Amino acid sequence: ENTVFKTDKKILLGIANVWEKRKGLEEYERLASKLPSEYQIVLVGISRKQCRGIDNKIICYPRTNSLDKLRIIYSNAYLLLNLTLEDNFPTVNIEALACELPILTYNTGGSPEIVEDCGWIIAKRNVDGVLNCLNSINEEEYLEKKGKCRKRALNYSENKMCEEYINLYRKVIEENHEKNNLANESSSSI
């Protein structure tokens, strides 16, 4: 039994700082009504007001800023279910990967770039595709994807990202320097 969410079902975790339309709240509700009994949707970060109006097949969990609680929440899930309709670069995906949690997400925004071979990518607003995917996941495939998550998350570490930005800035400076040299050469040859 899952000690955090008091269930023996596989937890499909959705997390958002603020649950708004673009985060796909309606998608989770559409999915909940069709979900096989072995799964349980848990949404973290949802307000009490939103929770009152949500499908009773979904467990609501309040927002938390505690890194320890978040780590435990991610670690108790079967996979991160990110049904966002638009998101530039969903950090919840990176957090999930850092906790060795595979991701099932819509093909929107930066999700596919982050997930790559650590999860499953489904066409946007395709709840039936999500169900088909869940039904097709076998234990071997799941464990293979789970095993790649931590390594993938390291691509987004603070040091790695700073290094990438520094390299980008150097490249831009070099290109501008080359353009200026070419401009100076062509103006002096006139």
Side-chain angles (χ1 to χ4, degrees):
E1 180 177 300
N2 185 309
T3 57
V4 174
F5 301 112
K6 310 289 188 241
T7 183
D8 56 356
K9 297 180 180 186
K10 293 178 180 176
I11 299 295
L12 305 177
L13 183 64
I15 296 185
N17 190 26
V18 176
W19 281 98
E20 52 196 1
K21 187 172 183 160
R22 70 182 184 92
K23 293 294 185 177
L25 186 56
E26 292 172 0
E27 299 294 298
Y28 290 91
E29 291 193 271
R30 286 180 41 221
L31 179 63
S33 67
K34 300 177 174 187
L35 201 60
S37 61
E38 69 185 281
Y39 296 103
Q40 174 66 60
I41 294 176
V42 173
L43 299 181
V44 175
I46 196 158
S47 72
R48 285 185 183 164
K49 181 179 178 183
Q50 286 173 311
C51 194
R52 281 192 293 268
I54 206 159
D55 188 306
N56 63 1
K57 294 180 181 175
I58 296 175
I59 295 175
C60 299
Y61 196 86
R63 184 173 182 266
T64 180
N65 289 322
S66 166
L67 294 180
D68 285 335
K69 279 186 184 176
L70 283 171
R71 182 186 50 76
I72 291 167
I73 288 167
Y74 280 115
S75 299
N76 278 273
Y78 176 68
L79 57 82
L80 177 69
L81 182 62
N82 190 352
L83 302 182
T84 185
L85 301 175
E86 60 179 74
D87 211 332
N88 295 334
F89 199 75
T91 55
V92 294
N93 289 358
I94 299 167
E95 292 169 357
L97 292 174
C99 294
E100 299 178 344
L101 185 62
I103 302 163
L104 195 163
T105 188
Y106 281 161
N107 188 7
T108 54
S111 276
E113 176 186 342
I114 296 169
V115 173
E116 286 192 355
D117 60 350
C118 296
W120 302 266
I121 300 164
I122 306 297
K124 184 172 158 178
R125 292 191 185 274
N126 187 352
V127 169
D128 290 332
V130 171
L131 286 168
N132 291 337
C133 181
L134 287 170
N135 289 328
S136 72
I137 296 172
N138 64 53
E139 190 68 15
E140 184 179 330
E141 176 188 28
Y142 175 81
L143 292 173
E144 179 184 325
K145 291 183 182 295
K146 185 176 180 69
K148 295 176 180 180
C149 290
R150 183 88 173 123
K151 183 177 179 185
R152 180 83 183 125
L154 293 175
N155 287 329
Y156 300 99
S157 70
E158 185 177 349
N159 288 341
K160 176 83 172 168
M161 296 308 293
C162 286
E163 182 180 309
E164 301 251 341
Y165 277 116
I166 289 169
N167 289 337
L168 176 63
Y169 292 144
R170 283 184 178 144
K171 182 179 175 187
V172 169
I173 290 169
E174 286 174 19
E175 288 173 358
N176 283 337
H177 184 69
E178 288 174 14
K179 284 180 187 176
N180 288 339
N181 284 344
L182 288 174
N184 289 340
E185 287 175 14
S186 62
S187 66
S188 65
S189 63
I190 295 177

